[in-house]
Amino acid sequence: MVCCGPGRQLTRTPGPRGPRAPAAPVGPVTPLSPAAPAAVTGGSSFGGISVGSALATATTQRRTTATMVSTVSAGASLTVRAKGILTPSSTANALSGGVLAGSGADATATAGQPTGTVGVEALLGAVSVTVSGAVIVEAITAAGASATATGGAYGAVGVGVSLATATSDLTTDAAVAANAGISAGSLAVTAQRVLTETRATAVSSAGGLVGATGSDARAISRGIVSATTGANVGLPTGAVAVSAIGATRQIADARGTSGGLIAGGASLSRAISDVDVVATLGANPVTAVGRAGDLTVKATGSDENVAITVAGSGGAISGNAATATMTDDGSATATITTAGTEIRTGTLNVLARHESLYRPTVDSTNAAVVGASGAEATANLNATAAARIAAGVVIAATGTVFVAA
């Protein structure tokens, strides 16, 4: 221990310096927002005249953002990532019995965002970033919903109805703002909606002298998946990738059975997807002379729609109908917009792909002295894919240039 008295000054002589520590990563800025509300309800009624009903609703509206709007003068890497997980579920069960019996079950589950907002957003602002390694701007969404409705009615006259609707509707956005300047080993801007199931199941049954059923199941996915750079963004000399990836699966399952002296029913299932996947390199990107890093702009969409409908009836006089409908209105678009100066790159890839998968199952069975049944399956495939380089863009590439959709 060294001590000093009044009027004396304590000094220390530093020892030799060790090696300088490597630059540390900046961030990451990584919020995670999970939401999984669940609603379960049941209703039953028994008597001479009885009605049982059940209503279940589960809704989540969530916004998740990661934003970097500060200058980074040095660092090893920078990551700006936002991730949202939304999986609401609802279950409704209704049962009734009596001379006159009716039941209704209605289940709704919705995953979405507040009106006028972006659900999951990762944004690098109009700032200067200098790091030795990668700059990653990434928005990830896992959005699905599940709704199950079951209704049964039994009596001299029995009517059972079940309605199930599951919807996921979310915008996912990863962006670099206009006029940002990036000096880094590489840049990756990625927006992704990972494969998550949206399922609706409606089951109804009825029995008596007169039995009637109705089942309606709807599974719907909508939204936008967007990866973009704004105008006048300074690109690093290393590899640059702007990627938007979207995948959904919708399963609608409707089943109805009825029996009686007179019996009938209708079952409908609808699986619908309408997700736009967009990757865009903004106007007038700034590329240094001699830049040789690869440049990729890619949009990939995949939507799977499954519709299952089963209807059955039996009696002296009976009839039923079963319909299954699948609709895909999605799109995948990759674009390089206008450029006032040439874009210097190694290999250039502008790619867009959309895949529509559909699987219908329809079964209508009737057993009666006098009876009729009908079954119909419909697929409406309206999806598009487009890869574009705007007129007037000048490409100076040292490798291959590949544009495909």
Side-chain angles (χ1 to χ4, degrees):
M1 178 176 181
V2 180
C3 180
C4 53
R8 299 179 63 187
Q9 184 177 5
L10 176 65
T11 61
R12 297 185 180 182
T13 302
R17 293 185 179 180
R20 178 174 294 180
V26 180
V29 182
T30 312
L32 171 63
S33 179
V40 179
T41 187
S44 60
S45 176
F46 300 93
I49 299 176
S50 64
V51 177
S53 64
L55 173 65
T57 301
T59 301
T60 179
Q61 292 186 323
R62 186 64 62 92
R63 185 183 184 201
T64 306
T65 61
T67 304
M68 182 64 174
V69 290
S70 298
T71 295
V72 178
S73 59
S77 62
L78 171 64
T79 299
V80 182
R81 178 184 293 121
K83 186 173 184 178
I85 303 173
L86 294 81
T87 54
S89 63
S90 65
T91 302
N93 299 304
L95 178 65
S96 65
V99 177
L100 299 177
S103 70
D106 188 347
T108 302
T110 304
Q113 63 215 1
T115 302
T117 67
V118 175
V120 178
E121 180 181 24
L123 173 65
L124 177 60
V127 296
S128 175
V129 175
T130 301
V131 296
S132 59
V135 173
I136 298 172
V137 182
E138 188 173 55
I140 303 171
T141 299
S146 175
T148 301
T150 304
Y154 306 94
V157 177
V159 178
V161 177
S162 296
L163 307 174
T165 303
T167 304
S168 58
D169 187 351
L170 209 70
T171 298
T172 306
D173 189 14
V176 175
N179 302 309
I182 300 171
S183 176
S186 62
L187 170 65
V189 183
T190 305
Q192 183 174 13
R193 180 168 175 167
V194 300
L195 181 61
T196 308
E197 191 172 278
T198 298
R199 175 185 285 267
T201 303
V203 179
S204 63
S205 60
L209 294 176
V210 178
T213 61
S215 298
D216 190 345
R218 306 181 191 185
I220 305 166
S221 287
R222 299 189 178 98
I224 298 172
V225 182
S226 175
T228 62
T229 62
N232 307 309
V233 170
L235 301 182
T237 56
V240 173
V242 181
S243 305
I245 306 157
T248 68
R249 176 183 293 134
Q250 295 63 242
I251 300 178
D253 189 345
R255 300 170 185 265
T257 57
S258 61
L261 183 64
I262 300 175
S267 297
L268 301 88
S269 63
R270 281 167 276 192
I272 300 169
S273 56
D274 186 3
V275 177
D276 295 322
V277 181
V278 181
T280 305
L281 183 71
N284 305 316
V286 179
T287 55
V289 174
R291 180 185 181 277
D294 294 340
L295 174 58
T296 300
V297 182
K298 180 172 66 174
T300 305
S302 176
D303 297 307
E304 180 181 358
N305 291 299
V306 179
I308 303 168
T309 305
V310 178
S313 62
I317 301 173
S318 71
N320 60 68
T323 65
T325 303
M326 296 139 294
T327 302
D328 186 2
D329 291 324
S331 67
T333 307
T335 304
I336 293 180
T337 54
T338 57
T341 58
E342 67 180 9
I343 299 175
R344 303 174 182 93
T345 183
T347 297
L348 174 63
N349 294 300
V350 183
L351 309 172
R353 180 183 178 186
H354 188 281
E355 184 177 43
S356 292
L357 306 173
Y358 62 97
R359 179 160 50 90
T361 300
V362 184
D363 185 352
S364 179
T365 303
N366 178 270
V369 177
V370 178
S373 64
E376 180 182 45
T378 303
N380 303 307
L381 306 179
N382 307 310
T384 61
R388 305 186 182 106
I389 298 178
V393 174
V394 178
I395 306 295
T398 60
T400 59
V401 175
F402 187 54
V403 181

